[in-house]
Amino acid sequence: GIPWFTRMEAGVKAYNDQHAHVTATQYGPATADAAQQLKIIDDLVARKVTALAVVPMDPAVIEGALKRALDRGIVVVTHEADNQKNTQADVEAFDNGAYGAALNERLAQCMGQKGKWTSFVGSLGSQTHLQWVDGGTKNATKHAGMQLVDAKNESFDDANKAYEKAKEILRKHADIKGFQGSAANDVIGIGRAVEEAGLAGKVCVVGTGLPNASARLIDSGAITAIGFWDPRDAALAMNRVAELLIAKKDLADGMDLGVKGYEKVAVKKGPGRGVLIYGNAMVIADKSTYKDYDF
């Protein structure tokens, strides 16, 4: 039900349709809950699927399940989890620190490089979200006037939770000037709170989001800018890597996965038994450009 993963499923279905010898399907828990995701993975391992392509909600929670999968000869690919040890390849759309810095620089421009700002993560267990906000925090040090307050608020990828937390922060810090979000629903919840407070265009909101889901609040000025990569393309890239691994092909630095944003990937040693694959699929869009992306 989360728009991000609905878009990702479009990529899974496209890969399935494009490859007659492949049966690719997507599964997800009813809520953004790592324990529920673990149960799904355990079930798929028991069913002896050929490959798993996982976007971990909390990499640490599923390490054991992915190790069991690998031990049984199941190919494992991950996304948004460059600290995952039990994976053969983790596919990243870009360097995560650089992405967080790019979001924060856009926030800084809107804030005039000064004032209080805060950050949101979907979960404190989400490796990429922590990397994004840490990248943002590092970037903000370039601007002496920017002051980080109450960092790393958890939204659990729930727009309503982000909304309630943003309202709380607006009450606590009446002079706050900026919010940096991580989960795709963060900017929606934060933007709604900012709009209701009559602060659209006065308080800056920048973070990961999807163009169509964020459109109304971008148009109203409650969301300043969004960053993203196309989840459909990420699904295509993960499935492509899984198929290469099934065929026991090498994953080489500079290779073309045949997917937009992943035409010349960087391949590096990962933290465990696998590799890290970095694409160049980052997009930062605002009111003047978000309509160029129809998803």
Side-chain angles (χ1 to χ4, degrees):
I2 294 174
W4 188 270
F5 292 104
T6 300
R7 177 66 176 175
M8 180 167 278
E9 188 173 27
V12 174
K13 290 178 177 177
Y15 201 90
N16 183 77
D17 294 342
Q18 293 165 10
H19 299 79
H21 59 289
V22 170
T23 301
T25 52
Q26 179 170 297
Y27 298 86
T31 59
D33 180 84
Q36 290 184 44
Q37 186 181 50
L38 174 61
K39 290 178 182 178
I40 292 171
I41 294 170
D42 280 337
D43 177 62
L44 293 168
V45 171
R47 287 164 54 185
K48 299 179 180 178
V49 295
T50 310
L52 286 167
V54 187
V55 183
M57 292 173 183
D58 187 332
V61 171
I62 62 171
E63 285 285 16
L66 296 187
K67 183 179 185 301
R68 287 191 293 277
L70 289 168
D71 289 346
R72 294 185 185 190
I74 296 171
V75 164
V76 175
V77 177
T78 50
H79 179 55
E80 292 192 68
D82 67 4
N83 64 331
Q84 196 82 58
K85 293 180 180 178
N86 287 292
T87 181
Q88 287 165 274
D90 179 71
V91 181
E92 298 293 321
F94 37 65
D95 176 272
N96 289 304
Y99 176 69
L103 290 177
N104 187 263
E105 188 57 32
R106 185 65 182 81
L107 183 69
Q109 292 172 18
C110 177
M111 292 173 57
Q113 293 86 39
K114 61 184 179 181
K116 292 180 180 178
W117 69 284
T118 191
S119 58
F120 277 57
V121 294
S123 161
L124 289 171
S126 174
Q127 172 75 353
T128 51
H129 292 191
L130 294 176
Q131 289 173 322
W132 298 344
V133 296
D134 287 345
T137 300
K138 183 177 180 180
N139 182 78
T141 62
K142 297 191 306 184
H143 307 291
M146 290 182 69
Q147 178 188 353
L148 178 62
V149 296
D150 298 344
K152 299 178 181 176
N153 299 281
E154 283 186 289
S155 68
F156 302 99
D157 208 351
D158 186 318
N160 288 327
K161 286 184 171 62
Y163 166 73
E164 293 296 339
K165 178 58 70 173
K167 287 203 302 181
E168 179 185 319
I169 290 171
L170 287 167
R171 286 193 297 268
K172 183 178 179 181
H173 300 284
D175 57 346
I176 196 160
K177 294 296 182 185
F179 289 81
Q180 179 172 334
S182 297
N185 279 318
D186 288 353
V187 289
I188 294 173
I190 297 166
R192 198 173 118 218
V194 165
E195 186 178 63
E196 286 186 5
L199 296 171
K202 298 176 183 177
V203 171
C204 305
V205 179
V206 176
T208 304
L210 288 181
N212 290 348
S214 308
R216 188 191 69 78
L217 290 166
I218 294 175
D219 285 338
S220 77
I223 295 176
T224 309
I226 55 173
F228 55 92
W229 63 105
D230 191 339
R232 180 183 184 277
D233 292 338
L236 292 170
M238 279 193 290
N239 276 275
R240 175 60 179 153
V241 170
E243 197 164 2
L244 288 168
L245 289 168
I246 290 166
K248 301 189 183 304
K249 299 286 183 66
D250 289 334
L251 301 175
D253 191 54
M255 73 185 299
D256 183 357
L257 296 181
V259 180
K260 184 179 179 182
Y262 303 86
E263 297 95 343
K264 190 177 181 181
V265 297
V267 179
K268 303 177 181 179
K269 178 71 176 70
R273 62 177 86 183
V275 297
L276 299 174
I277 300 174
Y278 294 96
N280 186 26
M282 183 195 310
V283 178
I284 306 290
D286 56 20
K287 191 173 183 177
S288 66
T289 57
Y290 83 90
K291 291 180 182 177
D292 294 342
Y293 307 89
D294 187 20
F295 58 86

